[in-house]
DNA sequence: CTGTATCCCCTTTGATACTG
DNA sequence: CAGTATCAAAGGGGATACAG
């Protein structure tokens, strides 16, 4: 027990990444951070390539992790709104610094393309 | 062209995550951020569960992205040292904020376990 | 020591149809 | 509208053997 598996040496890193990374989570979070509330169908329109199945599963995971809130209106036809929780909003600093790093990275890549000519 | 696919609406986020996320990259970066230089075999010992194949491929990707430097000593037996590049070190703020968020998240999870009893 | 090359499995993702 | 169920496809990752 005193000698942890290395995977656990940076559990915190993994824990954070498990929540925000993946094929769809970043863009879902992006939209929910920008929009306060979004219905299921609005998210689908915002992310046309995603399937219902994937959208549902990713939203469920985020909800389960306490990042987003799912509000169901008991009516027909159904209406469900998703929004960031207060806890979810605590991810903002990370998201912001990643976006700014990523932006610089994309510019750097672009520049390297050009320079290699 | 004026109407981007939504996946591209947050390209920066994806770009950053592509580099730091994955099954092995976080822990590889973790070790290289803490150790200045590490040989291939030292990384293997630090991450016992990883296979050579995976370690090699992940290091290659990080190198290709300019995050780490690979220094080969032309000798027999071979010796290769990996280290963060200056550019790679620019990831530090992100890594640090992710670790601290992750740490709080783990505590929160733990607390919720307890509270549910 | 520092890798490559194969082969195989298994999870993740996607396509599609169906439902309350 | 907001999902679920099912099945098929794809790709990542592991085990192992080989190589410079």
């Amino acid at each position: 027990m005193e000698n942890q598996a290395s995977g656990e040496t940076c559990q915190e890193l993994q824990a954070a990444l498990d929540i925000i990374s993946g094929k769809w989570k970043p863009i879902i979070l992006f939209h929910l951070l920008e929009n306060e509330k979004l219905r299921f169908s609005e998210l689908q329109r915002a992310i046309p390539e995603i399937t219902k199945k994937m959208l549902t599963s990713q939203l469920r995971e985020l909800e389960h992790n306490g990042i987003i809130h799912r509000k169901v209106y008991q009516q027909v036809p159904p209406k469900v709104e998703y929004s960031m929780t207060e806890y979810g909003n605590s991810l903002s600093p990370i998201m912001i610094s990643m976006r700014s790093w990523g932006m610089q990275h994309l510019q750097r890549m672009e520049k390297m393309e050009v320079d290699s000519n």
Side-chain angles (χ1 to χ4, degrees), chain A residues 7 10-11 14 28 38 56-57 73 98 107 116:
Chain A
C10 64
Q11 307 173 60
Q14 301 278 184
I28 291 173
L38 284 174
T56 302
S57 76
Y73 292 82
M98 284 204 312
Q107 287 170 2
S116 67

Side-chain angles (χ1 to χ4, degrees), chain A residues 2 42 87 97:
Chain A
E2 72 298 341
E42 292 175 319
Y87 184 58
S97 62

